Amino acid sequence: MITSEKIKIYAHYYGDSDMWARRAKSSEKAILSNDWYLIGSLIQEIELVNKGLASEKFTLNLKKHLIESCDNQETIRQLESLLAMNK
Protein backbone atom coordinates (compact mmCIF):
# COMPACT_ATOMS: atom_id res chain seq x y z
CA MET A 1 0.00 0.00 0.00
CA ILE A 2 1.41 3.36 -1.03
CA THR A 3 1.33 5.98 1.72
CA SER A 4 2.37 9.62 2.04
CA GLU A 5 5.45 8.49 3.96
CA LYS A 6 6.55 6.27 1.06
CA ILE A 7 6.02 9.07 -1.44
CA LYS A 8 8.12 11.44 0.67
CA ILE A 9 10.99 8.94 0.69
CA TYR A 10 10.65 8.37 -3.06
CA ALA A 11 10.67 12.13 -3.69
CA HIS A 12 13.64 12.66 -1.37
CA TYR A 13 15.71 10.47 -3.70
CA TYR A 14 14.15 12.07 -6.81
CA GLY A 15 12.83 8.69 -7.95
CA ASP A 16 16.43 7.57 -8.53
CA SER A 17 16.56 3.94 -7.50
CA ASP A 18 20.37 3.85 -7.66
CA MET A 19 20.68 6.81 -5.29
CA TRP A 20 18.08 5.23 -3.00
CA ALA A 21 19.93 1.89 -3.01
CA ARG A 22 23.25 3.57 -2.16
CA ARG A 23 22.19 6.29 0.28
CA ALA A 24 18.90 5.35 1.92
CA LYS A 25 18.85 4.52 5.58
CA SER A 26 17.92 0.94 6.40
CA SER A 27 14.69 2.22 7.95
CA GLU A 28 13.78 3.97 4.67
CA LYS A 29 14.54 0.83 2.69
CA ALA A 30 12.38 -1.23 5.02
CA ILE A 31 9.45 1.17 4.61
CA LEU A 32 9.62 1.48 0.84
CA SER A 33 11.33 -1.62 -0.54
CA ASN A 34 8.21 -3.37 -1.82
CA ASP A 35 6.66 -0.28 -3.39
CA TRP A 36 9.55 1.63 -4.98
CA TYR A 37 8.95 0.24 -8.46
CA LEU A 38 5.17 0.39 -8.09
CA ILE A 39 5.40 4.13 -7.46
CA GLY A 40 7.60 4.59 -10.53
CA SER A 41 5.27 2.52 -12.68
CA LEU A 42 2.19 4.42 -11.54
CA ILE A 43 3.90 7.75 -12.27
CA GLN A 44 4.65 6.59 -15.81
CA GLU A 45 1.07 5.45 -16.31
CA ILE A 46 -0.31 8.75 -14.96
CA GLU A 47 1.96 10.60 -17.39
CA LEU A 48 0.64 8.55 -20.33
CA VAL A 49 -2.93 9.40 -19.37
CA ASN A 50 -2.12 13.10 -18.83
CA LYS A 51 -0.49 13.32 -22.26
CA GLY A 52 -3.53 11.74 -23.89
CA LEU A 53 -1.57 8.66 -24.97
CA ALA A 54 -3.75 6.10 -23.20
CA SER A 55 -7.03 4.49 -24.14
CA GLU A 56 -10.19 5.02 -22.13
CA LYS A 57 -9.94 1.45 -20.82
CA PHE A 58 -6.32 2.02 -19.72
CA THR A 59 -7.37 5.23 -17.97
CA LEU A 60 -10.21 3.51 -16.12
CA ASN A 61 -7.93 0.63 -15.10
CA LEU A 62 -5.33 3.10 -13.84
CA LYS A 63 -7.90 4.90 -11.69
CA LYS A 64 -8.94 1.56 -10.19
CA HIS A 65 -5.29 0.56 -9.65
CA LEU A 66 -4.55 3.87 -7.91
CA ILE A 67 -7.49 3.41 -5.53
CA GLU A 68 -6.39 -0.15 -4.75
CA SER A 69 -2.70 0.77 -4.35
CA CYS A 70 -2.93 3.98 -2.33
CA ASP A 71 -4.22 4.45 1.20
CA ASN A 72 -6.32 7.55 0.41
CA GLN A 73 -7.07 10.32 -2.12
CA GLU A 74 -4.41 12.64 -0.69
CA THR A 75 -1.78 9.99 -1.39
CA ILE A 76 -3.03 9.71 -4.98
CA ARG A 77 -2.77 13.50 -5.32
CA GLN A 78 0.79 13.42 -3.96
CA LEU A 79 1.67 10.65 -6.38
CA GLU A 80 0.31 12.70 -9.28
CA SER A 81 2.36 15.70 -8.12
CA LEU A 82 5.55 13.68 -8.57
CA LEU A 83 5.19 14.02 -12.34
CA ALA A 84 6.90 17.40 -12.21
CA MET A 85 9.90 15.73 -10.57
CA ASN A 86 10.35 13.36 -13.53
CA LYS A 87 10.67 16.13 -16.13
Side-chain angles (χ1 to χ4, degrees):
M1 179 75 47
I2 298 173
T3 63
S4 291
E5 182 180 20
K6 291 177 181 183
I7 290 174
K8 286 177 188 172
I9 295 168
Y10 187 91
H12 177 77
Y13 295 100
Y14 304 100
D16 183 334
S17 60
D18 186 51
M19 184 188 311
W20 176 68
R22 287 182 289 115
R23 295 185 179 176
K25 300 173 190 171
S26 58
S27 60
E28 291 173 323
K29 289 180 181 180
I31 291 168
L32 188 54
S33 64
N34 294 330
D35 291 320
W36 181 272
Y37 294 103
L38 175 58
I39 291 171
S41 176
L42 288 171
I43 291 169
Q44 289 177 351
E45 291 176 9
I46 292 167
E47 187 168 22
L48 287 174
V49 169
N50 288 351
K51 289 183 175 181
L53 301 173
S55 68
E56 185 176 335
K57 184 176 181 177
F58 182 93
T59 302
L60 292 173
N61 285 338
L62 174 59
K63 288 179 182 182
K64 181 180 175 185
H65 193 204
L66 285 167
I67 291 167
E68 292 170 351
S69 300
C70 297
D71 64 346
N72 58 49
Q73 281 299 122
E74 177 59 21
T75 300
I76 293 171
R77 189 196 63 70
Q78 290 173 339
L79 187 62
E80 291 169 340
S81 74
L82 292 179
L83 283 176
M85 181 180 70
N86 286 349
K87 293 184 180 193

